[in-house]
Amino acid sequence: MSIKVSIIVPCYKQAHYLEQSLGSVLKQTYLNWECIIVNDGSPDNTEAIAKQWCDKDDRFVYLKKENGGLSSARNAGITIAKGNFILPLDADDLIHSTYLEQLVPVLEHDKALAIVSCYSNFFENDINNIIHQHKPKGEDFKYLLYTNQLVATSLYRKSCWETVGGYDETMKHGFEDWEFWIAITKLGWKYKIVDAYLFYYRKAKQSMLVNTINLHFEVNKAYIFKKHKTLYIDDFDNCLTVMFHQQKALRVSLANIKKSREYRIARGLTKPIRVLQKLLKNN
């Protein structure tokens, strides 16, 4: 029997979470899968853990490569994947035991679909400690232009990955999955959301997503806009509306911060420092 689904698990400095992630793969009620663990030059004990799982079940495959970033690791795993369907899974996240059982038939039976996703639970420390839930919307690229509706862990056709040339390996600071979904759906492919909470995203204080939002949000978003600029030009009026709405929301947020009691207290405490800086500058 040929393999239907290839699950790609890149790992870099996340060996301490890898057991849980791979455990959620092993619990799948749908059995026709392989899981490729990609060691992206990780300096921890990723290799030892990965090989233990390969010994436990021959559906696990180990691939080691030099560090190249998340896009590079995913591409490397998908390159050797035997499945027609691909499921990326980060080493610190988990999937429900019926994830594949519920999503594979949807993608299998509708040839117009490129991607199938689901609702997501965001948890902290323990999978039962749900702090946020996400219900993505839409069906085509228009819903993806200004916000990423789809989590990275969505099931898609390997042929779509081949068509768009894989994940953009120049995007080393996040949003590579967002750009990937746009690249696929702008060709006319559709996506579908299964209305069940089947994906568990680990909310960590330090993570790639947090780092992206704090340090690389504007640069990454500008890159996506430029790479797919014809889409935004065609949607010019709406694009302006969205941009000015976001600008206004930021201005209102900053104004509210300045009105807050905490801000006034902080200003009072730092006033002597500002006075001293001014005196030193004048001298």
Side-chain angles (χ1 to χ4, degrees), residues 84-234:
N84 297 321
F85 298 162
I86 302 296
L87 178 65
L89 176 63
D90 290 347
D92 55 343
D93 297 330
L94 302 94
I95 49 177
H96 189 275
S97 60
T98 63
Y99 183 103
L100 293 179
E101 181 183 340
Q102 294 198 52
L103 268 63
V104 168
V106 178
L107 193 57
E108 204 166 26
H109 297 147
D110 190 342
K111 304 305 180 184
L113 289 176
I115 309 156
V116 179
S117 196
C118 61
Y119 293 171
S120 302
N121 283 320
F122 287 62
F123 72 98
E124 201 168 57
N125 299 323
D126 185 270
I127 195 172
N128 296 311
N129 182 29
I130 307 300
I131 59 173
H132 175 67
Q133 292 183 312
H134 175 58
K135 293 182 178 182
K137 301 175 182 178
E139 62 176 7
D140 58 31
F141 74 89
K142 294 177 183 177
Y143 291 87
L144 297 169
L145 289 178
Y146 305 104
T147 184
N148 187 11
Q149 295 287 345
L150 301 172
V151 292
T153 302
S154 299
L155 188 71
Y156 62 89
R157 300 182 189 278
K158 185 178 180 180
S159 59
C160 294
W161 173 85
E162 293 169 340
T163 299
V164 302
Y167 292 91
D168 188 333
E169 296 189 14
T170 67
M171 298 186 72
K172 295 183 181 294
H173 300 291
F175 288 179
E176 74 293 321
D177 54 318
W178 184 10
E179 189 280 321
F180 182 65
W181 303 138
I182 292 176
I184 291 173
T185 54
K186 79 174 187 179
L187 298 177
W189 290 96
K190 302 288 187 180
Y191 67 84
K192 186 171 184 177
I193 308 299
V194 172
D195 57 351
Y197 290 99
L198 302 174
F199 173 63
Y200 297 88
Y201 178 88
R202 187 184 300 273
K203 188 74 172 176
K205 290 182 179 179
Q206 296 296 328
S207 69
M208 186 172 180
L209 179 59
V210 172
N211 184 61
T212 296
I213 292 173
N214 290 341
L215 301 176
H216 307 287
F217 181 84
E218 293 81 6
V219 173
N220 286 350
K221 197 168 184 179
Y223 179 83
I224 291 173
F225 274 45
K226 290 177 182 177
K227 185 170 182 178
H228 302 285
K229 62 183 178 181
T230 55
L231 298 179
Y232 296 96
I233 291 172
D234 291 343

Side-chain angles (χ1 to χ4, degrees), residues 221-257:
K221 197 168 184 179
Y223 179 83
I224 291 173
F225 274 45
K226 290 177 182 177
K227 185 170 182 178
H228 302 285
K229 62 183 178 181
T230 55
L231 298 179
Y232 296 96
I233 291 172
D234 291 343
D235 197 46
F236 182 74
D237 289 343
N238 187 44
C239 186
L240 282 183
T241 300
V242 172
M243 291 302 166
F244 282 114
H245 172 76
Q246 291 177 343
Q247 189 175 26
K248 181 180 179 181
L250 177 60
R251 177 168 52 81
V252 171
S253 178
L254 291 174
N256 289 335
I257 290 173

Side-chain angles (χ1 to χ4, degrees), residues 47-104:
E47 180 167 304
I49 293 174
K51 288 184 175 180
Q52 287 175 3
W53 281 84
C54 291
D55 292 339
K56 184 182 299 187
D57 191 309
D58 61 10
R59 288 175 296 177
F60 288 97
V61 179
Y62 177 62
L63 175 64
K64 185 175 183 178
K65 62 182 288 295
E66 292 184 2
N67 180 252
L70 186 55
S71 290
S72 172
R74 284 181 183 153
N75 285 339
I78 297 169
T79 298
I80 66 168
K82 297 177 182 177
N84 297 321
F85 298 162
I86 302 296
L87 178 65
L89 176 63
D90 290 347
D92 55 343
D93 297 330
L94 302 94
I95 49 177
H96 189 275
S97 60
T98 63
Y99 183 103
L100 293 179
E101 181 183 340
Q102 294 198 52
L103 268 63
V104 168

